[in-house]
Amino acid sequence: MKVRNHIFLALLAVAFMASCSEADKTIEFGVDNNSIDIEAVGGTRKVNVSAGENWVATSSAPWITVLPANGRGSKECSLIIDSAITTSPRDGYVLFINTDNNNEYKRVDVSQKGFDYAITLDEPSVNIENYATLDKRYFDVKVKTNVAFNVKVVDEETGAEPSWVDVGQFNVNLDHGRRPREVSLRISWGINSTPMQRNALLSFTPAETDVTSEMLARNDELTINQNAAERIVTGRGGDSIALLGIARSLEVWDSNWESSGEKMDNWDGVVLWEEGMSGYVDSLKGRVKSAEFNSFSTKEGIPYEVQYLTAAEELKFYSNVNTFQLNLSTGPYICELTQLKRLTIGAYGLTELDENFTKLKNLEYLDLSSNNFEQVPAVINPENFPKLHALQMVNNQRLLIYDLSNSISTNFGGLYLHTKYDSAQDTFGEFPTWLLKWEPDAAKGIAGLDTLKLSVNYLQGSIPDFKDDATIGYYDDEDFIRPDTIPAIHVKRVMPQLKMFALNLNRLTGELPEWILYHPALDWWDPYTLLFTQEGKDEKGNLAGFSNTPVNLNYYYEKYTKKEMAGSSSDQETGTDSGSQTGSR
């Protein structure tokens, strides 16, 4: 009984399979879609294949892929269409072939659009604050494009290129043709120091000559809206806001002016105008007379808030971080304080002065020491600063180089460019001689320098002796009338008003000129410390130092018989080196 049942089931299975095989053969070979239209970005489209037999699919173009590419019986296939790479449309097709009957096939045509030229921004505008620290003063813009482009920036009010917007370097890589890609631009912006909003317009235009603006999408412009600065009103209150703003912008390390709760009268480094002070008038009462900013971290010029300290006579900025790495300008804002008499910008990282620095015509004292100047700015001259009597540019060495002849470094500060060695001519450059001619001129209102300090720099060669300079005369009888002047001796009359002259620790060589050795104020200069002492080697390999440095000043006091010689009589008799013999003050 069981055997008969098994035989019966087997016969049923064979009959079922035979009937299915006959059914498959009756399925008509075909596809449910004969054409596909697709956008330039590409994508996947489905095609249903009806078949009772084996079949394969082939593509006419490499940008069309069929999965699966073969099969038996009916299947759903995916046509994967790549992104376009040109602006022109393209066509292709897929053939589905009945492998049991190669004469039977079905064709699916594929038409794909090309990309339009486009420069597309996610947002048409961006709003920014008037102030942020330098490391946060930027924003990024994402641009989708398939064409190389330029960016033009204009101020919406003036139509000119604004100085406060800077578009960084960017690259549009078109190695995949006209497929759009995302390009990132970093836009840096400057502080808005005015109490008015300002706006800039960035226009993105194609760089390729065969692309016109009409071929571009319309969202190819970006508007930048910058908030206005807080209005600072001239007066005591405005001064306090300005001081806090400067300290904030400079990132002064230990400033506690705001957190201390003290009145401005008690702020460290701040002096206010009071009755009895020289130059005091009632309108100045309680305002800032002088202020100091020490130990800070900035990579910019003097902050914009400084322009509101319109009562200040003296300002000091000293000790920035990593000054040797910086190439800064003073910036324009300090130049608005035309009433300033004393200004120190030291260890700041300066390599240049703002073009408007000459507006500070009332300066009497200027200290630009410990910066990175490679030369004394030419604008520092008696015509631009007639009241200036003290100039200090000490220690502008960006790098400490003992032997200049072995150095391969460049841009190392130290006023180096003035006396740079010319190997072809075998000569050193010219000492900044105009500084040594800065004498009083009452007719022109020029005060003349009485203090000049250029110590610890890289000045080379010899100090000018002016023997062949007809513009500089000799001491005459009128000079001899004064009891402490030189008796009749043929010496060039170079800056007789100098009370302090410092050139020590440069790379100077040669002879000390007579105008220095017999200058009326030589003993006041402390010459053995601040003038005669040099160090290192110059670019020719010469050991720095003068060939005629006097052992002592005996020779000097023999000429200046009215001056009292310092030191003991034994010093005078033995002629020992007495660098401390600087004469009575």
Side-chain angles (χ1 to χ4, degrees), residues 333-354:
Y333 305 111
I334 189 72
C335 305
E336 299 302 316
L337 300 184
T338 56
Q339 82 288 348
L340 276 181
K341 294 183 178 180
R342 298 174 62 86
L343 177 61
T344 297
I345 310 177
Y348 198 97
L350 296 181
T351 55
E352 64 179 9
L353 304 178
D354 186 81

Side-chain angles (χ1 to χ4, degrees), residues 58-88:
T58 62
S59 170
S60 69
W63 47 274
I64 305 174
T65 302
V66 184
L67 292 176
N70 57 74
R72 177 179 177 79
S74 299
K75 298 283 185 181
E76 181 184 71
C77 294
S78 296
L79 272 59
I80 303 172
I81 301 165
D82 292 347
S83 170
I85 58 175
T86 67
T87 57
S88 302

Side-chain angles (χ1 to χ4, degrees), residues 341-416:
K341 294 183 178 180
R342 298 174 62 86
L343 177 61
T344 297
I345 310 177
Y348 198 97
L350 296 181
T351 55
E352 64 179 9
L353 304 178
D354 186 81
E355 61 183 358
N356 293 311
F357 198 78
T358 54
K359 294 169 69 174
L360 304 180
K361 294 189 179 298
N362 285 308
L363 281 181
E364 299 174 4
Y365 172 94
L366 178 60
D367 187 352
L368 298 175
S369 297
S370 300
N371 284 293
N372 299 326
F373 288 101
E374 289 218 294
Q375 55 189 341
V376 179
V379 296
I380 300 180
N381 59 56
E383 288 71 30
N384 290 330
F385 300 96
K387 296 182 180 181
L388 192 68
H389 66 81
L391 174 63
Q392 300 191 99
M393 294 192 70
V394 174
N395 188 26
N396 273 264
Q397 295 178 347
R398 186 192 292 262
L399 301 174
L400 179 58
I401 301 174
Y402 183 81
D403 186 352
L404 292 177
S405 66
N406 283 331
S407 175
I408 59 174
S409 300
T410 58
N411 189 28
F412 44 75
L415 311 184
Y416 164 75

Side-chain angles (χ1 to χ4, degrees), residues 127 183 216 218 231 234 243 251 278-279 314 325 338 425 464 468 479 520-521 561 567:
N127 298 316
V183 179
L216 296 171
R218 286 298 83 207
R231 184 178 296 276
T234 301
L243 289 178
E251 297 185 41
S278 176
E314 180 175 11
Q325 297 178 346
T338 56
Q425 302 295 324
D468 298 325
D479 296 305
T561 57

Side-chain angles (χ1 to χ4, degrees), residues 480-500:
F480 301 152
I481 294 173
R482 298 196 301 274
D484 63 343
T485 54
I486 306 174
I489 186 170
H490 205 56
V491 175
K492 281 282 188 174
R493 189 180 186 277
V494 179
M495 297 188 76
Q497 80 282 0
L498 266 181
K499 296 178 181 178
M500 176 55 68

Side-chain angles (χ1 to χ4, degrees), residues 57 85 89 186 205 212 346 370 398 408 530 532 552 570 579:
I85 58 175
R186 175 151 292 187
T205 57
T212 63
S370 300
R398 186 192 292 262
I408 59 174
L530 299 178
F532 297 160
N552 54 44
S570 62

Side-chain angles (χ1 to χ4, degrees), residues 24 90 93 337 381 422 521:
D24 286 344
R90 61 184 178 180
Y93 60 85
L337 300 184
N381 59 56
D422 185 345

